[in-house]
Amino acid sequence: MKKMNWHRLLYIAGFLLAAGFVILTGVDFLQYDELAYSAPFSAFVLVRAVEFLPLAALAFILAAILKKRNR
């Protein structure tokens, strides 16, 4: 039975989370209306960053640890 490469899966998950941050921030930018929202656009970026980037960083760190451990 082939051994599962967990570090690859975690690298892919981290990349998808980082890409999701970029894509959804772009969508927020396109939908942002200065007159309709009282919060500045940077608040929207901060919320997206809190949603996505810590998990992406955690996935990359765990992938690096697992890759080192499997050598």
Coordinates of all heavy atoms in Angstrom, one line a residue:
M1 N 0.8 -1.2 0.0 CA 0.0 0.0 0.0 C 0.9 1.2 0.0 O 1.9 1.3 0.7 CB -0.9 0.0 1.2 CG -1.9 1.0 1.2 SD -3.1 0.6 2.5 CE -4.5 1.5 1.9
K2 N 0.5 2.2 -0.8 CA 1.4 3.4 -1.0 C 1.2 4.3 0.2 O 0.1 4.5 0.7 CB 1.0 4.1 -2.2 CG 1.9 5.3 -2.6 CD 1.5 5.9 -3.9 CE 2.5 7.1 -4.1 NZ 2.2 7.7 -5.3
K3 N 2.3 4.9 0.7 CA 2.3 5.8 1.8 C 1.7 7.2 1.4 O 2.0 7.7 0.3 CB 3.7 6.0 2.3 CG 3.8 6.8 3.6 CD 5.2 6.8 4.1 CE 5.3 7.6 5.3 NZ 6.7 7.7 5.8
M4 N 0.8 7.7 2.2 CA 0.2 9.0 1.9 C 1.2 10.1 2.1 O 1.8 10.2 3.2 CB -1.1 9.2 2.8 CG -1.8 10.5 2.6 SD -2.6 10.4 1.0 CE -3.4 12.0 1.0
N5 N 1.3 11.1 1.2 CA 2.1 12.2 1.3 C 1.3 13.4 1.9 O 0.8 14.2 1.2 CB 2.7 12.6 -0.1 CG 3.7 11.6 -0.6 OD1 4.4 11.0 0.2 ND2 3.8 11.5 -1.9
W6 N 1.3 13.4 3.2 CA 0.5 14.4 3.9 C 1.0 15.8 3.7 O 0.3 16.8 3.6 CB 0.4 14.1 5.4 CG -0.5 12.9 5.7 CD1 -0.1 11.7 6.0 CD2 -1.9 12.9 5.6 NE1 -1.2 10.9 6.2 CE2 -2.3 11.6 6.0 CE3 -2.9 13.8 5.3 CZ2 -3.6 11.2 6.0 CZ3 -4.2 13.4 5.4 CH2 -4.6 12.1 5.7
H7 N 2.3 15.9 3.5 CA 2.9 17.3 3.4 C 2.5 17.9 2.0 O 2.2 19.1 2.0 CB 4.4 17.2 3.5 CG 5.1 16.5 2.4 ND1 5.3 15.1 2.5 CD2 5.7 16.9 1.3 CE1 5.9 14.7 1.4 NE2 6.2 15.8 0.6
R8 N 2.3 17.1 1.0 CA 1.8 17.6 -0.3 C 0.4 18.1 -0.1 O 0.0 19.1 -0.7 CB 1.9 16.5 -1.4 CG 3.3 16.3 -1.8 CD 3.3 15.3 -3.0 NE 4.7 15.0 -3.4 CZ 5.0 14.1 -4.3 NH1 4.0 13.5 -4.9 NH2 6.2 13.9 -4.5
L9 N -0.4 17.3 0.6 CA -1.8 17.7 0.8 C -1.9 19.0 1.6 O -2.7 19.9 1.2 CB -2.6 16.6 1.5 CG -4.1 16.8 1.8 CD1 -4.8 16.8 0.5 CD2 -4.6 15.7 2.7
L10 N -1.1 19.2 2.6 CA -1.1 20.4 3.3 C -0.5 21.6 2.5 O -1.0 22.7 2.7 CB -0.3 20.2 4.6 CG -0.9 19.4 5.7 CD1 0.0 19.0 6.8 CD2 -2.1 20.1 6.2
Y11 N 0.5 21.4 1.7 CA 0.9 22.4 0.8 C -0.2 22.9 -0.1 O -0.4 24.1 -0.4 CB 2.1 22.0 0.0 CG 3.5 22.1 0.7 CD1 4.4 21.0 0.7 CD2 3.8 23.2 1.4 CE1 5.6 21.1 1.4 CE2 5.0 23.3 2.1 CZ 5.9 22.3 2.0 OH 7.1 22.4 2.7
I12 N -0.9 21.9 -0.7 CA -2.0 22.3 -1.6 C -3.1 23.0 -0.8 O -3.6 24.0 -1.3 CB -2.6 21.0 -2.3 CG1 -1.6 20.4 -3.2 CG2 -3.9 21.3 -3.0 CD1 -1.9 19.1 -3.8
A13 N -3.4 22.6 0.4 CA -4.4 23.3 1.2 C -4.0 24.7 1.5 O -4.8 25.6 1.4 CB -4.7 22.5 2.5
G14 N -2.8 24.9 1.9 CA -2.2 26.2 2.2 C -2.3 27.1 1.0 O -2.7 28.3 1.0
F15 N -1.9 26.6 -0.2 CA -2.0 27.4 -1.4 C -3.4 27.7 -1.8 O -3.7 28.9 -2.2 CB -1.3 26.6 -2.6 CG -1.5 27.3 -3.9 CD1 -0.7 28.4 -4.2 CD2 -2.4 26.9 -4.8 CE1 -0.8 29.0 -5.4 CE2 -2.5 27.5 -6.1 CZ -1.7 28.6 -6.3
L16 N -4.3 26.8 -1.6 CA -5.7 27.1 -1.9 C -6.3 28.1 -1.0 O -7.1 29.0 -1.4 CB -6.6 25.8 -1.9 CG -6.4 24.8 -3.0 CD1 -7.2 23.6 -2.8 CD2 -6.7 25.5 -4.3
L17 N -5.9 28.1 0.3 CA -6.4 29.1 1.2 C -5.8 30.5 0.9 O -6.5 31.5 1.0 CB -6.0 28.7 2.7 CG -6.8 27.6 3.3 CD1 -6.1 27.1 4.6 CD2 -8.2 28.2 3.6
A18 N -4.5 30.5 0.5 CA -3.9 31.8 0.1 C -4.6 32.3 -1.2 O -4.8 33.5 -1.3 CB -2.4 31.7 0.0
A19 N -4.8 31.5 -2.1 CA -5.5 31.9 -3.3 C -6.9 32.3 -3.0 O -7.4 33.3 -3.7 CB -5.5 30.7 -4.3
G20 N -7.6 31.7 -2.1 CA -8.9 32.1 -1.7 C -9.0 33.5 -1.1 O -9.9 34.3 -1.4
F21 N -7.9 33.8 -0.3 CA -7.8 35.1 0.2 C -7.7 36.2 -0.9 O -8.4 37.2 -0.9 CB -6.6 35.2 1.1 CG -6.2 36.6 1.5 CD1 -7.0 37.4 2.3 CD2 -5.1 37.2 0.9 CE1 -6.6 38.7 2.7 CE2 -4.7 38.5 1.2 CZ -5.5 39.2 2.1
V22 N -6.8 35.9 -1.9 CA -6.6 36.9 -3.0 C -7.9 37.0 -3.8 O -8.3 38.1 -4.1 CB -5.4 36.4 -3.8 CG1 -5.3 37.3 -5.1 CG2 -4.1 36.5 -3.0
I23 N -8.5 35.9 -4.1 CA -9.7 35.9 -5.0 C -10.9 36.6 -4.3 O -11.5 37.5 -4.9 CB -10.1 34.5 -5.4 CG1 -9.1 34.0 -6.4 CG2 -11.5 34.5 -6.1 CD1 -9.2 32.5 -6.7
L24 N -11.1 36.3 -3.0 CA -12.2 36.9 -2.3 C -12.0 38.4 -2.0 O -12.9 39.2 -1.9 CB -12.6 36.1 -1.1 CG -13.3 34.7 -1.4 CD1 -13.5 34.0 -0.1 CD2 -14.5 35.0 -2.1
T25 N -10.7 38.7 -1.8 CA -10.4 40.1 -1.6 C -10.7 40.9 -2.9 O -11.2 42.0 -2.9 CB -9.0 40.3 -1.2 OG1 -8.8 39.6 0.1 CG2 -8.6 41.8 -0.9
G26 N -10.4 40.3 -4.0 CA -10.7 40.9 -5.3 C -12.2 41.1 -5.5 O -12.7 42.1 -6.0
V27 N -13.0 40.1 -5.1 CA -14.4 40.1 -5.2 C -14.9 41.2 -4.3 O -15.8 42.0 -4.7 CB -15.0 38.8 -4.9 CG1 -16.5 38.9 -4.8 CG2 -14.7 37.7 -6.0
D28 N -14.4 41.3 -3.1 CA -14.8 42.4 -2.2 C -14.5 43.8 -2.8 O -15.3 44.7 -2.7 CB -14.1 42.2 -0.8 CG -14.7 41.1 0.0 OD1 -15.8 40.7 -0.3 OD2 -14.0 40.7 1.0
F29 N -13.4 43.9 -3.5 CA -13.0 45.1 -4.1 C -14.0 45.5 -5.2 O -14.4 46.7 -5.3 CB -11.6 45.1 -4.6 CG -11.2 46.3 -5.4 CD1 -10.9 47.5 -4.6 CD2 -11.1 46.4 -6.7 CE1 -10.5 48.6 -5.3 CE2 -10.7 47.5 -7.4 CZ -10.4 48.6 -6.7
L30 N -14.4 44.5 -6.0 CA -15.3 44.8 -7.1 C -16.7 45.2 -6.5 O -17.4 46.0 -7.2 CB -15.4 43.6 -8.0 CG -14.1 43.3 -8.8 CD1 -14.3 42.1 -9.6 CD2 -13.8 44.5 -9.7
Q31 N -17.1 44.6 -5.4 CA -18.4 44.8 -4.9 C -18.5 46.0 -3.9 O -19.5 46.4 -3.4 CB -19.0 43.6 -4.2 CG -19.2 42.5 -5.1 CD -19.7 41.2 -4.4 OE1 -19.6 41.1 -3.2 NE2 -20.2 40.2 -5.2
Y32 N -17.3 46.5 -3.5 CA -17.3 47.6 -2.5 C -17.8 48.9 -3.1 O -17.5 49.3 -4.1 CB -15.8 47.8 -2.0 CG -15.7 48.8 -1.0 CD1 -16.1 48.5 0.3 CD2 -15.2 50.1 -1.2 CE1 -15.9 49.5 1.3 CE2 -15.0 51.0 -0.2 CZ -15.4 50.7 1.0 OH -15.3 51.7 2.0
D33 N -18.7 49.5 -2.3 CA -19.3 50.8 -2.6 C -19.0 51.8 -1.5 O -19.5 51.6 -0.4 CB -20.8 50.6 -2.9 CG -21.4 51.9 -3.3 OD1 -20.7 52.9 -3.7 OD2 -22.7 52.0 -3.3
E34 N -18.3 52.8 -1.8 CA -17.8 53.8 -0.8 C -19.0 54.4 -0.1 O -19.0 54.7 1.1 CB -17.0 54.9 -1.4 CG -15.6 54.8 -1.0 CD -14.8 55.9 -1.7 OE1 -15.2 57.1 -1.7 OE2 -13.8 55.6 -2.3
L35 N -20.1 54.7 -0.8 CA -21.2 55.3 -0.2 C -22.1 54.4 0.6 O -22.8 54.9 1.5 CB -22.0 56.0 -1.3 CG -21.3 57.0 -2.2 CD1 -22.1 57.5 -3.4 CD2 -20.8 58.2 -1.3
A36 N -22.1 53.1 0.3 CA -23.0 52.2 1.0 C -22.4 51.7 2.3 O -23.2 51.3 3.2 CB -23.4 51.0 0.1
Y37 N -21.1 51.5 2.4 CA -20.5 50.9 3.5 C -19.8 52.0 4.4 O -19.1 52.9 3.9 CB -19.4 49.9 3.1 CG -20.0 48.8 2.3 CD1 -19.6 48.5 1.0 CD2 -20.9 47.9 2.9 CE1 -20.1 47.5 0.3 CE2 -21.4 46.8 2.2 CZ -21.0 46.6 0.9 OH -21.5 45.6 0.2
S38 N -20.0 51.9 5.7 CA -19.3 52.9 6.6 C -17.9 52.5 6.9 O -17.1 53.3 7.3 CB -20.1 53.0 7.9 OG -20.1 51.7 8.6
A39 N -17.6 51.2 6.7 CA -16.2 50.7 7.0 C -15.3 50.9 5.8 O -15.7 50.8 4.7 CB -16.2 49.3 7.4
P40 N -14.0 51.3 6.0 CA -13.1 51.4 4.9 C -12.8 50.1 4.3 O -13.0 49.0 4.9 CB -11.9 52.1 5.5 CG -11.9 51.7 6.9 CD -13.4 51.6 7.3
F41 N -12.3 50.0 3.0 CA -12.0 48.8 2.4 C -11.0 48.0 3.1 O -11.0 46.8 3.1 CB -11.6 49.0 0.9 CG -11.3 47.8 0.2 CD1 -12.3 46.9 -0.1 CD2 -10.0 47.5 -0.2 CE1 -12.0 45.7 -0.8 CE2 -9.7 46.3 -0.9 CZ -10.8 45.4 -1.2
S42 N -10.0 48.7 3.8 CA -9.0 48.0 4.5 C -9.6 47.1 5.6 O -9.0 46.1 6.0 CB -8.0 49.0 5.1 OG -8.6 49.9 5.9
A43 N -10.7 47.5 6.1 CA -11.4 46.6 7.1 C -11.8 45.3 6.5 O -11.7 44.2 7.1 CB -12.6 47.3 7.8
F44 N -12.3 45.3 5.3 CA -12.7 44.1 4.6 C -11.5 43.2 4.3 O -11.5 42.0 4.5 CB -13.4 44.5 3.3 CG -14.8 45.0 3.4 CD1 -15.0 46.4 3.5 CD2 -15.9 44.2 3.4 CE1 -16.2 46.9 3.7 CE2 -17.1 44.7 3.6 CZ -17.3 46.0 3.7
V45 N -10.4 43.9 3.9 CA -9.1 43.1 3.7 C -8.7 42.5 5.0 O -8.2 41.3 5.0 CB -8.0 44.0 3.1 CG1 -6.7 43.3 3.0 CG2 -8.5 44.5 1.8
L46 N -8.7 43.2 6.1 CA -8.3 42.7 7.4 C -9.2 41.5 7.8 O -8.6 40.5 8.3 CB -8.4 43.8 8.5 CG -8.0 43.4 9.9 CD1 -6.5 43.0 9.9 CD2 -8.2 44.5 10.8
V47 N -10.5 41.5 7.6 CA -11.4 40.4 7.9 C -11.0 39.2 7.1 O -10.9 38.1 7.6 CB -12.8 40.8 7.8 CG1 -13.7 39.6 7.8 CG2 -13.2 41.8 8.8
R48 N -10.8 39.4 5.8 CA -10.4 38.3 4.9 C -9.0 37.7 5.4 O -8.8 36.5 5.3 CB -10.3 38.7 3.5 CG -11.7 39.0 2.9 CD -12.5 37.8 2.7 NE -13.7 38.2 2.0 CZ -14.8 37.4 2.1 NH1 -14.9 36.3 2.8 NH2 -15.9 37.8 1.5
A49 N -8.1 38.5 5.8 CA -6.8 38.1 6.2 C -6.9 37.2 7.5 O -6.3 36.2 7.6 CB -5.9 39.3 6.4
V50 N -7.8 37.6 8.4 CA -8.0 36.9 9.6 C -8.7 35.5 9.3 O -8.4 34.5 9.9 CB -8.8 37.7 10.6 CG1 -9.2 36.8 11.8 CG2 -8.0 38.9 11.1
E51 N -9.5 35.5 8.3 CA -10.2 34.3 7.9 C -9.3 33.3 7.3 O -9.4 32.1 7.6 CB -11.4 34.6 7.0 CG -12.5 35.2 7.6 CD -13.6 35.6 6.5 OE1 -13.3 35.5 5.3 OE2 -14.7 35.9 7.0
F52 N -8.4 33.7 6.4 CA -7.7 32.8 5.6 C -6.2 32.6 5.9 O -5.7 31.5 5.9 CB -7.8 33.2 4.1 CG -9.1 33.0 3.5 CD1 -10.0 34.0 3.4 CD2 -9.4 31.7 2.9 CE1 -11.3 33.7 2.8 CE2 -10.6 31.5 2.4 CZ -11.6 32.5 2.3
L53 N -5.5 33.7 6.2 CA -4.0 33.6 6.3 C -3.5 32.8 7.4 O -2.5 32.1 7.3 CB -3.4 35.0 6.2 CG -3.7 35.7 4.8 CD1 -3.0 37.1 4.8 CD2 -3.2 34.9 3.7
P54 N -4.1 32.9 8.6 CA -3.5 32.0 9.7 C -3.6 30.5 9.4 O -2.7 29.8 9.7 CB -4.4 32.4 10.9 CG -4.9 33.8 10.7 CD -5.1 33.8 9.2
L55 N -4.7 30.1 8.8 CA -4.9 28.7 8.4 C -3.9 28.3 7.3 O -3.3 27.2 7.4 CB -6.3 28.4 8.0 CG -7.4 28.5 9.1 CD1 -8.7 28.4 8.5 CD2 -7.1 27.5 10.2
A56 N -3.7 29.2 6.4 CA -2.7 28.9 5.3 C -1.3 28.8 5.9 O -0.5 27.9 5.5 CB -2.7 30.0 4.3
A57 N -0.9 29.7 6.8 CA 0.4 29.7 7.4 C 0.5 28.4 8.2 O 1.6 27.7 8.2 CB 0.6 30.9 8.3
L58 N -0.5 28.0 9.0 CA -0.5 26.8 9.7 C -0.3 25.6 8.8 O 0.5 24.6 9.1 CB -1.7 26.6 10.6 CG -1.8 25.4 11.5 CD1 -0.8 25.4 12.5 CD2 -3.2 25.3 12.1
A59 N -1.0 25.5 7.7 CA -0.9 24.4 6.8 C 0.6 24.3 6.2 O 1.1 23.3 6.1 CB -1.9 24.6 5.6
F60 N 1.2 25.5 5.9 CA 2.5 25.5 5.3 C 3.5 25.1 6.4 O 4.5 24.3 6.1 CB 2.9 26.9 4.8 CG 2.3 27.2 3.5 CD1 1.6 28.3 3.3 CD2 2.5 26.4 2.4 CE1 1.0 28.6 2.0 CE2 2.0 26.6 1.1 CZ 1.2 27.8 1.0
I61 N 3.4 25.5 7.6 CA 4.3 25.1 8.7 C 4.2 23.6 9.0 O 5.2 22.9 9.1 CB 4.0 26.0 10.0 CG1 4.4 27.4 9.7 CG2 4.7 25.4 11.2 CD1 3.9 28.4 10.8
L62 N 3.0 23.1 9.1 CA 2.8 21.7 9.3 C 3.3 20.8 8.2 O 3.9 19.8 8.4 CB 1.3 21.3 9.6 CG 0.7 21.8 10.9 CD1 -0.7 21.5 10.9 CD2 1.4 21.1 12.0
A63 N 3.2 21.3 7.0 CA 3.7 20.6 5.8 C 5.2 20.6 5.8 O 5.8 19.5 5.6 CB 3.2 21.3 4.5
A64 N 5.8 21.7 6.2 CA 7.3 21.7 6.3 C 7.8 20.7 7.4 O 8.8 20.0 7.2 CB 7.8 23.1 6.6
I65 N 7.1 20.7 8.5 CA 7.5 19.8 9.6 C 7.3 18.4 9.2 O 8.2 17.6 9.5 CB 6.7 20.1 10.9 CG1 7.1 21.5 11.5 CG2 6.8 19.0 11.9 CD1 6.1 22.0 12.6
L66 N 6.2 18.0 8.6 CA 6.0 16.6 8.1 C 7.0 16.2 7.1 O 7.5 15.1 7.0 CB 4.6 16.5 7.6 CG 3.5 16.4 8.7 CD1 2.1 16.4 8.0 CD2 3.7 15.3 9.6
K67 N 7.4 17.1 6.2 CA 8.3 16.8 5.1 C 9.7 16.6 5.7 O 10.4 15.6 5.3 CB 8.4 18.0 4.1 CG 9.3 17.7 2.9 CD 9.2 18.8 1.9 CE 10.0 18.4 0.7 NZ 10.0 19.5 -0.3
K68 N 10.1 17.3 6.7 CA 11.4 17.1 7.4 C 11.4 15.8 8.2 O 12.4 15.1 8.2 CB 11.6 18.3 8.4 CG 12.7 19.1 8.0 CD 13.0 20.1 9.1 CE 13.8 21.3 8.6 NZ 14.1 22.3 9.6
R69 N 10.3 15.5 8.8 CA 10.2 14.3 9.6 C 10.2 13.0 8.8 O 10.7 12.0 9.2 CB 8.9 14.4 10.4 CG 8.7 13.2 11.4 CD 7.5 13.3 12.2 NE 7.7 14.2 13.4 CZ 6.8 14.4 14.3 NH1 5.6 14.0 14.1 NH2 7.1 15.2 15.3
N70 N 9.7 13.1 7.6 CA 9.6 11.9 6.7 C 10.9 11.6 6.0 O 11.0 10.6 5.3 CB 8.5 12.0 5.7 CG 7.1 11.9 6.4 OD1 7.0 11.3 7.5 ND2 6.1 12.4 5.7
R71 N 11.9 12.4 6.1 CA 13.1 12.2 5.4 C 14.0 11.2 6.0 O 14.1 10.6 6.9 CB 14.0 13.5 5.3 CG 13.4 14.4 4.2 CD 14.3 15.6 4.1 NE 13.8 16.4 3.0 CZ 14.4 17.4 2.5 NH1 15.6 17.7 2.9 NH2 13.9 18.1 1.5

